Amino acid sequence: MPTSGDHSGARPHVVLLPSAGMGHLVPFGRLAVALSAGHGCDVSVAAVLPTVSSAEARHLEALFAAADPAVRRLDFRLAPFDASEFPGADPFFLRFEAMRRSAPLLGPLLATAGASAVVTDIVLASVVLPVARECGVPCYVLFTASAAMLAFCAHFPGYLDANSAAGRAGVVGDVDIPGVYRIPKSSVPQALHDPKHLFTQQFVANGRGLVDADGILVNTFDALEPEAVTALRKGKVVSSFPLVFAVGPLLPVMFPAKDPAGYMQWLDAQPARSVVYVSFGSRTAISPDQLLELAAGLEASGHRFLWVVKSTVVDRDDAGELGDLLGHGFLERVRGRALVTKGWVEQEEILQHGSVGLFVSHCGWNSVTEAAAFGVPVLAWPRFGDQRINAAVVTRGGLGAWEERWSWDGEEGLVSGEEVGEKIKAVMADETVAKKAAAVGDAAAAAATSKGGTSYRSLAEFVGRCRDA
Ligand code: UDP
Ligand code: UDP
């Protein structure tokens, strides 16, 4: 753990504060490595132990082992928190709340670390910003989702206020984001229809707090989301909005893979672009009935597939047997042309493997940025939260297709295996989809990996500000 070192020289010391869940930890780990290895910063990552999921624990361990000593750990100890106040709440949202309530404890941590700047997760923004201000440390936000979602998050509190003033308090319909585009009611994250939901309360507070940030880093690139990035920067969404640094796609950090399922070897044996990779992220559970239909659809598509099955929100709870989850005889019937695993996979390695031709994805934003980085076409099947807003970015940006009629979590109606199979066949056969996705991959590389690229320059500008602070 760093003590009060001298960070006033040429190397700024940036303290990163991720919240819980792989969707948040992964981009923070990538930012840590980009800042330390690529831009000459000292970096500390504040970590809360124990983590909610075992995937997070393994990820933190691998990050600190691989990036030591440039990336160091700060222990963020939480104040006692009584979760019984929120019966039945999602364990990740509960951790967000526990971290939010512990924000005052960050003051001493920042002071001891000698931080030149702190970058907080969006989920903690409204409570961390005042603490950083009090310590005199510039505070930036890493927005871990799309720029469209950032615009939505910034606009939403004002949208609710206008509805209240018009006598429609708490009502959420289509949301027209000034200068960006309209988010239909059906794409608004489920929880936001309930003003009392813990997520809604945090979301609105963070949206209001954003204007106080010294700047916002967002894991996207100008060419993927031109409308949203431009509108935010021009103050069309919210006037006097902070600086927006579009720094994505943040590049994968490759850790030594543990691959007990042997998926990389299996991929090596498949023909180019022949495999459908299927994953719904690290924490999205699919109902048992829908899992069976998805299994039937993959079988009916006739294609090879690599499927990472997750049937619980938190991996520690995942005790079900694959054979039971997917139906009698399924694994035997697809043997040879499919690999199905419940284990953790190194997704970025899979997506850059030449045998992968399509990614059936829930459109968690990290998954979308990884598909963009490697030019892999996406068949979007959003399930939850911001994923429909992200799926719209996928189609608008030319990264793939989305069957908007397909239901998401909490809606009536199963998508039949037959329909899933037909759609996979159609997208796999569409050369235009593949070409456009490859072009997105080229644009992502130009933005993030070349020194003149928009994202590279944006990150350099952010570091310049930390250095001058
Ligand atoms: N991921 C992975 N292996 C898995 C499941 C997920 O590497 O078995 C990674 C994935 O590449 C992504 C992150 O975990 O970087 C999940 O974030 P995303 O935003 O896509 O979805 P979430 O899990 O937050 O819903
Ligand atoms: N989000 C936000 N403000 C908040 C909390 C979350 O804008 O106060 C965004 C966050 O970036 C995330 C999305 O809303 O991408 C959905 O949040 P959740 O934590 O459910 O998603 P995940 O953990 O799967 O990324």
Side-chain angles (χ1 to χ4, degrees), residues 28-236:
F28 268 94
R30 290 177 181 167
L31 180 62
V33 172
L35 288 173
S36 62
H39 290 267
C41 298
D42 288 335
V43 179
S44 297
V45 178
V48 176
L49 298 174
T51 54
V52 179
S53 63
S54 45
E56 292 165 89
R58 285 193 304 267
H59 193 77
L60 278 173
E61 197 182 312
L63 174 69
F64 292 124
D68 178 70
V71 177
R72 290 164 299 179
R73 199 177 95 200
L74 282 180
D75 288 312
F76 178 18
R77 289 180 215 280
L78 301 186
F81 172 69
D82 182 8
S84 64
E85 214 183 301
F86 305 99
D90 175 295
F92 293 95
F93 292 173
L94 287 176
R95 175 57 65 85
F96 297 166
E97 189 62 19
M99 292 181 80
R100 288 175 62 82
R101 292 185 186 191
S102 300
L105 303 177
L106 285 167
L109 204 65
L110 291 179
T112 319
S116 335
V118 57
V119 181
T120 171
D121 196 322
I122 173 61
V123 163
L124 312 171
S126 65
V127 290
V128 172
L129 281 158
V131 174
R133 175 124 319 156
E134 203 159 291
C135 302
V137 178
C139 186
Y140 295 82
V141 174
L142 173 60
F143 197 82
T144 50
S146 53
M149 187 65 187
L150 170 58
F152 178 85
C153 178
H155 173 63
F156 193 65
Y159 168 86
L160 288 183
D161 293 345
N163 276 359
S164 286
R168 287 182 275 116
V171 174
V172 179
D174 294 352
V175 181
D176 206 351
I177 308 175
V180 187
Y181 41 78
R182 178 177 297 241
I183 305 295
K185 180 179 176 185
S186 55
S187 286
V188 170
Q190 293 97 329
L192 296 181
H193 292 284
D194 173 4
K196 293 206 171 63
H197 198 289
L198 179 58
F199 179 79
T200 309
Q201 291 174 6
Q202 296 170 349
F203 189 83
V204 171
N206 289 325
R208 287 194 203 283
L210 276 176
V211 286
D212 295 326
D214 288 278
I216 299 165
L217 291 91
V218 53
N219 188 12
T220 192
F221 53 107
D222 295 40
L224 182 62
E225 299 193 76
E227 302 96 334
V229 171
T230 306
L232 284 161
R233 285 188 177 142
K234 292 198 164 157
K236 287 188 181 168

Side-chain angles (χ1 to χ4, degrees), residues 5-14 35-36 38-43 114 116-117 460-469:
D6 177 17
H7 299 290
S8 57
R11 283 178 78 85
H13 179 207
V14 185
L35 288 173
S36 62
H39 290 267
C41 298
D42 288 335
V43 179
S116 335
E461 193 191 330
F462 162 73
V463 173
R465 284 175 185 268
C466 295
R467 197 168 276 135
D468 297 340

